[in-house]
Amino acid sequence: AAKTELVLENSYDESDLTLYGLGIGLARDPNDDVERAYVYELDSNFQAFPSYGVMPQLNAMLAGAKEGTLELPGMNFGFERLLHGEHFTEIKRPLPTSATLKHTFKLKEAWDKAPNAVVVFSVVSCDAETGEELMYNEMTAFIKGAGGWGGERGPSVDVNTPPDREPDAVIEDATDLNQTLLYRLSGDWNPLHA
């Protein structure tokens, strides 16, 4: 019988959370009490920045690809052909500052966009010790040249057209020139970040 799911395990700790926070641009002002709580493990309010919930499953997937253990339907292509598209993350509760996680990957959908393909993976991440679900991710990937098998094309989505009015708010910000190099140290080693 073909595999329908894959379970991978990995861990993270305070250093991973700190590096991630710095990689997404937090604590440019180290005197900012709110942002420092995401990058300084001795801060009395130290915590995981919520979007870190994307990283553990992504790191497990990339490590599995590197080790050759990522054996799941829909993953029979090289990562040089993959473009990370949409991503949905649901954080079930505030993330612990360190954890060992078990990630259950399943192929949710595959669409034939000949000559390319779109695949959607669901990933449930649980605390390896307690079994408590901490986060749920859905990753949509565009795979160059993987279509053409005669499958369903899948749904089309409406074009997101902004309303004909002034924006509710405008925020201007600049990323540091080396920010993508710092971010990739969180585990997303896609050469695009270098």
Side-chain angles (χ1 to χ4, degrees):
K3 276 188 171 180
T4 59
E5 67 180 40
L6 175 67
V7 177
L8 298 174
E9 189 172 299
N10 69 352
S11 299
Y12 69 87
D13 62 19
E14 293 86 354
S15 294
D16 297 310
L17 297 179
T18 297
L19 194 55
Y20 176 78
L22 293 169
I24 63 170
L26 295 175
R28 284 189 189 135
D29 175 1
N31 293 315
D32 181 322
D33 292 338
V34 173
E35 291 191 9
R36 190 178 54 246
Y38 297 111
V39 300
Y40 182 48
E41 70 281 0
L42 298 179
D43 188 292
S44 61
N45 294 316
F46 182 65
Q47 59 191 299
F49 195 78
S51 62
Y52 184 76
V54 171
M55 297 309 297
Q57 61 88 31
L58 179 64
N59 289 342
M61 184 182 81
L62 291 171
K66 200 180 262 188
E67 297 163 4
T69 59
L70 196 61
E71 298 175 4
L72 183 65
M75 292 298 283
N76 57 342
F77 50 83
F79 272 84
E80 72 280 357
R81 296 169 54 194
L82 181 145
L83 176 62
H84 191 159
E86 294 179 15
H87 200 106
F88 171 84
T89 301
E90 181 180 358
I91 306 298
K92 302 293 184 165
R93 70 167 188 81
L95 299 176
T97 55
S98 64
T100 298
L101 302 172
K102 283 190 178 181
H103 311 280
T104 303
F105 291 78
K106 292 183 182 179
L107 175 64
K108 184 176 179 186
E109 298 171 320
W111 305 112
D112 188 347
K113 306 282 188 179
N116 307 304
V118 172
V119 294
V120 181
F121 299 97
S122 67
V123 188
V124 174
S125 300
C126 297
D127 184 295
E129 292 179 25
T130 67
E132 178 185 10
E133 183 178 346
L134 297 178
M135 62 202 99
Y136 173 78
N137 283 276
E138 280 187 12
M139 180 184 138
T140 302
F142 176 85
I143 315 299
K144 186 177 177 185
W149 71 84
E152 288 186 46
R153 184 158 175 80
S156 294
V157 295
D158 294 333
V159 174
N160 185 3
T161 305
D164 187 21
R165 61 178 173 77
E166 291 297 311
D168 296 330
V170 175
I171 297 173
E172 291 187 26
D173 195 10
T175 58
D176 295 328
L177 294 176
N178 66 346
Q179 193 164 336
T180 57
L181 292 169
L182 184 58
Y183 167 77
R184 69 185 296 275
L185 297 176
S186 291
D188 189 349
W189 43 259
N190 186 327
L192 174 71
H193 301 301

